[in-house]
Amino acid sequence: MPEFINNPQGSVRIGELIKDAYGSKRWTHSFAAVAFVRASGVQHIAMELQRFHERGGISQIAVGVDLQGSSAEGLRMLIDSVPSPSG
């Protein structure tokens, strides 16, 4: 059953759940779609995302870049957290 997580008002922070999932050896693939990417958010998951990939994890992340919601810094930080497609 899906769980609704109310952020930032809820008792559970979505970033903590994401970090825990990337840190778990239970998962080998990650698929995500987010409306906007900012450095202020990516900074909280970048290290875990990088480690996930170092363990052989595979992720696909779709990111919205319209409406000026995403920042160049956030996109760069996200890109730098995953290996390039060529290795």
Side-chain angles (χ1 to χ4, degrees):
M1 177 99 176
E3 178 182 356
F4 177 76
I5 301 182
N6 183 11
N7 263 202
Q9 290 81 20
S11 61
V12 177
R13 305 274 313 188
I14 190 71
E16 292 302 319
L17 291 176
I18 293 169
K19 285 170 46 174
D20 289 347
Y22 280 137
S24 170
K25 294 191 171 139
R26 176 180 179 192
W27 306 110
T28 59
H29 290 73
S30 169
F31 303 93
V34 296
F36 305 115
V37 172
R38 292 193 170 270
S40 60
V42 176
Q43 70 181 349
H44 297 289
I45 65 162
M47 184 63 66
E48 286 79 5
L49 179 59
Q50 183 175 1
R51 289 180 183 149
F52 175 75
H53 281 272
E54 289 171 353
R55 288 194 319 270
I58 298 169
S59 63
Q60 294 179 343
I61 305 170
V63 176
V65 294
D66 58 347
L67 302 176
Q68 300 178 355
S70 290
S71 70
E73 297 83 6
L75 290 167
R76 175 53 45 206
M77 189 180 293
L78 184 62
I79 290 167
D80 289 345
S81 298
V82 298
S84 66
S86 62

